[in-house]
Amino acid sequence: MERKGDHGCEFDVWQLIIPSAIREQMIQFLEAALPYESGGLLFGKRVMEEWMIENFQPIASDKPDAKNYNASPRDLVPIIMKAKASGMELLATVHSHPSSPAVPSRKDLKEAYGYRDLAHSIVSFAGMSPDVQFYRYEKVEHHVSFHPLTLKLTNW
Ligand SMILES: [Zn+2]
């Protein structure tokens, strides 16, 4: 499907492909940080409308907090540079919700405004088992809305 010229929509990811081993790795890292929020970045390749996740880089929060996740640019920049050098692109941010559902908070949407070309994953530990969701954020007029993304698990 051609989507050229559709510059009104900067965001063209419709499906994310994630190896189950990477999903597990994310969950384990975030679970180990409980009761605090934690996070990281996902790298890989964009092939048309499919984004293939190849690598999870855990990044601990600057200050342990049960309701906030903050990664400092000091930690982020070298990781992004290294991934770029090995041919991978930044595809998604990840953070955990230790006790709330895997839905973007008002704060998440506000802070994500500058990162519209990325996907955003939230991993919730509020239920019986971890809930991993991916979203794209979109600014419409003066507010940011979110849309769930399809996730395809593979066994690579
Ligand atoms: Zn959040």
Side-chain angles (χ1 to χ4, degrees), residues 52-81:
M52 294 188 278
I53 293 166
E54 294 172 350
N55 182 271
F56 171 64
Q57 289 292 324
I59 302 169
S61 193
D62 270 0
K63 290 183 218 107
D65 188 308
K67 292 237 149 58
N68 280 294
Y69 169 66
N70 284 300
S72 80
R74 196 187 56 231
D75 294 333
L76 294 174
V77 172
I79 289 173
I80 295 170
M81 300 294 277

Side-chain angles (χ1 to χ4, degrees), residues 28-126:
Q28 275 176 26
F29 174 76
L30 300 171
E31 199 161 33
L34 293 175
Y36 304 120
E37 282 199 17
S38 192
L41 297 172
L42 289 166
F43 294 90
K45 293 195 175 71
R46 300 174 201 217
V47 181
M48 312 284 282
E49 291 171 357
E50 289 190 334
W51 289 16
M52 294 188 278
I53 293 166
E54 294 172 350
N55 182 271
F56 171 64
Q57 289 292 324
I59 302 169
S61 193
D62 270 0
K63 290 183 218 107
D65 188 308
K67 292 237 149 58
N68 280 294
Y69 169 66
N70 284 300
S72 80
R74 196 187 56 231
D75 294 333
L76 294 174
V77 172
I79 289 173
I80 295 170
M81 300 294 277
K82 208 177 143 195
K84 271 196 176 153
S86 61
M88 285 188 289
E89 284 183 79
L90 178 57
L91 299 183
T93 70
V94 181
H95 77 281
S96 59
H97 281 181
S99 55
S100 59
V103 176
S105 66
R106 211 168 290 186
K107 180 176 165 282
D108 290 337
L109 294 173
K110 211 167 119 189
E111 290 178 352
Y113 166 56
Y115 305 96
R116 280 166 303 166
D117 60 335
L118 299 180
H120 301 274
S121 175
I122 299 175
V123 182
S124 168
F125 294 94

Side-chain angles (χ1 to χ4, degrees), residues 17-38:
I17 300 170
I18 185 166
S20 46
I22 291 182
R23 187 182 179 275
E24 271 315 297
Q25 195 193 346
M26 272 166 62
I27 291 171
Q28 275 176 26
F29 174 76
L30 300 171
E31 199 161 33
L34 293 175
Y36 304 120
E37 282 199 17
S38 192

